Amino acid sequence: MATEQNDQAQELEQEQTEQQTAQAEPEQAEVTVESLQEQIAQLEGDLKLEKARTANAVYEAQKSVERIQRESEKHKDTVLEKFSKELLETVDNLERAILAAGEEQGPLREGVELTLKGLLTTLEKFGVVVVDTENGFNAELHQAVGIAPDAKANEIGTVLQKGYALNGRLLRPAMVMVGA
């Protein structure tokens, strides 16, 4: 569409130049109907040219806005992904702290559990979810790092580190031990 409009604009510009050259010749002192009609035709040609230029400029501006919006969304997704990956280390550390506390219930353990819960809730609001490890091994979501002797073939025996996905895209695979 833009190419067609550019072609039209060039043709109209060429016609305008030819008409101006023709008018540069000595004019007669008297104004005739024919000369007025020529002027009207020239002005109509000028108008068509300007309309084509305007339509082309509007088209280009719309395309630029769409491109900028796409790039902005892509950048936002990339930043959210990097930020989420960094927060996963904190989630892992909080889970390790809870495991280290053992079965002992106390205010410190309760505070760590509440902090972990709040962090996971916030991550879920932005589309970060835990990768499923209950429905067997999936090479696209899980990274097998060893063999679990007590697990059935192609089933996950032990989850060493949880995996996470952001809006359907894998952030980090779950590190698991799989049955042979």
Side-chain angles (χ1 to χ4, degrees):
M1 180 173 173
T3 309
E4 184 179 309
Q5 290 174 348
N6 284 337
D7 291 343
Q8 289 175 349
Q10 288 176 352
E11 289 174 9
L12 291 173
E13 204 170 306
Q14 206 171 20
E15 289 176 11
Q16 181 183 11
T17 304
E18 290 172 4
Q19 289 175 355
Q20 287 174 352
T21 306
Q23 286 182 351
E25 297 172 1
E27 294 183 13
Q28 297 176 357
E30 68 183 65
V31 177
T32 64
V33 173
E34 294 159 352
S35 67
L36 292 176
Q37 287 176 342
E38 286 177 15
Q39 285 181 345
I40 290 172
Q42 178 186 356
L43 292 173
E44 287 174 346
D46 292 348
L47 181 63
K48 285 181 184 178
L49 174 65
E50 293 305 319
K51 282 184 178 180
R53 285 180 179 165
T54 303
N56 190 34
V58 168
Y59 175 79
E60 292 297 325
Q62 288 173 343
K63 289 298 175 187
S64 294
V65 167
E66 291 171 5
R67 181 182 48 80
I68 290 169
Q69 287 174 341
R70 281 192 310 271
E71 289 175 0
S72 173
E73 284 297 316
K74 186 177 179 180
H75 180 69
K76 184 180 83 170
D77 291 344
T78 302
V79 169
L80 183 59
E81 183 177 327
K82 287 180 181 181
F83 183 69
S84 299
K85 280 183 180 181
E86 291 296 322
L87 287 179
L88 293 181
E89 291 180 29
T90 305
V91 170
D92 292 339
N93 290 334
L94 291 171
E95 288 174 344
R96 286 186 202 106
I98 292 170
L99 287 175
E103 296 298 318
E104 181 182 326
Q105 289 294 334
L108 182 60
R109 179 183 171 127
E110 185 179 330
V112 172
E113 287 175 346
L114 289 173
T115 302
L116 176 62
K117 182 180 178 185
L119 182 57
L120 289 174
T121 301
T122 301
L123 286 171
E124 285 177 10
K125 284 180 186 176
F126 289 95
V128 178
V129 294
V130 177
V131 170
D132 177 36
T133 55
E134 301 295 320
N135 295 320
F137 180 75
N138 180 347
E140 293 178 5
L141 301 175
H142 309 120
Q143 180 181 0
V145 293
I147 297 175
D150 57 334
K152 294 179 184 178
N154 215 19
E155 286 190 11
I156 297 172
T158 306
V159 178
L160 301 174
Q161 185 180 45
K162 290 181 182 178
Y164 292 89
L166 171 64
N167 297 326
R169 283 184 25 195
L170 188 65
L171 279 176
R172 179 178 80 185
M175 291 176 43
V176 297
M177 297 188 69
V178 183

